[in-house]
Amino acid sequence: YNFGICFKISQEVFNISNDHEITAKQATSKFIEEMNVKARKIGMMNSNFVNVQGFYHNDHVSTPRDIALMMLESKGYKDMMRIMGRRNFECNIEGVNARRIKAITTIENSSVDDNYTVLASKTGRIPRVTTNLAVIAETKNENTSFLGVVFKGRTRYEGMRQLFDIGNTVMHSKTEVVP
């Protein structure tokens, strides 16, 4: 799946025709390079991507601010929001061991779901952070959207709910919040 995406994008980036072959390694390398270029363009100055999947790697780093910028950027892409908001999906794996797999997201958690509608989410593992969670959500009873990023949370879902609850309380109070 990732190779197919990398190959299509890399052909355009390499400016080559369909009859010219590039290797999976070349496509992947170029895709990662472009991921880092895009990250810098949107202001993610403290992030470095080293694989297309976002899997754990010692050199794969980011910050809560950078992840928030990435989530904000994703709001501009309807297909990306649709994919990031799904609870489960199926996809085909091609190659020697071709198969169809079903994946269920790990974002589903009652501490967030009881009060908020998740529009998009991203989980991950970053060195020295362990786990992280980024969510774009709306309150269920109002038309208020929130973006939250939680790093190093043992209970990241509960932390996200608390973060959204605080934001919701502040939005409805007359207290001025100074950053």
Side-chain angles (χ1 to χ4, degrees):
Y1 178 73
N2 285 324
F3 173 71
I5 293 171
C6 292
F7 184 75
K8 181 179 178 189
I9 292 171
S10 293
Q11 278 186 309
E12 295 166 11
V13 171
F14 282 124
N15 195 25
I16 59 176
S17 65
N18 284 335
D19 58 343
H20 180 74
E21 290 187 29
I22 59 172
T23 67
K25 187 174 182 176
Q26 288 172 313
T28 301
S29 176
K30 189 63 177 177
F31 188 82
I32 293 166
E33 179 184 322
E34 292 299 316
M35 285 172 52
N36 285 300
V37 166
K38 178 67 174 184
R40 299 298 172 272
K41 283 182 182 176
I42 66 171
M44 296 175 66
M45 300 306 178
N46 297 299
S47 294
N48 183 55
F49 302 109
V50 295
N51 59 56
V52 296
Q53 303 89 349
F55 291 156
Y56 182 89
H57 187 284
N58 282 336
D59 296 328
H60 194 100
V61 296
S62 195
T63 64
R65 178 186 181 280
D66 281 5
I67 296 295
L69 288 170
M70 180 179 65
M71 294 296 284
L72 284 172
E73 178 72 11
S74 70
K75 283 193 73 165
Y77 298 93
K78 288 181 184 176
D79 286 342
M80 182 63 77
M81 288 293 289
R82 183 180 54 76
I83 292 166
M84 291 174 69
R86 291 171 80 175
R87 296 301 177 127
N88 55 64
F89 60 91
E90 293 184 23
C91 65
N92 294 320
I93 305 296
E94 298 177 0
V96 177
N97 188 15
R99 64 202 179 280
R100 185 161 182 82
I101 62 167
K102 183 174 184 176
I104 300 171
T105 65
T106 58
I107 183 60
E108 193 166 334
N109 187 279
S110 62
S111 56
V112 174
D113 290 336
D114 287 349
N115 298 305
Y116 302 94
T117 300
V118 174
L119 304 176
S121 64
K122 182 207 174 305
T123 60
R125 290 179 45 88
I126 297 174
R128 297 171 297 285
V129 172
T130 60
T131 59
N132 67 72
L133 172 65
V135 175
I136 298 173
E138 289 181 342
T139 53
K140 290 206 177 201
N141 300 328
E142 303 161 19
N143 194 17
T144 305
S145 296
F146 293 103
L147 164 63
V149 179
V150 175
F151 270 31
K152 290 190 178 183
R154 279 186 340 171
T155 58
R156 56 188 166 168
Y157 301 100
E158 181 63 21
M160 187 63 70
R161 185 199 54 79
Q162 290 171 352
L163 186 63
F164 287 166
D165 287 351
I166 290 167
N168 206 19
T169 300
V170 169
M171 299 246 336
H172 291 91
S173 75
K174 302 214 184 286
T175 306
E176 184 177 334
V177 178
V178 180

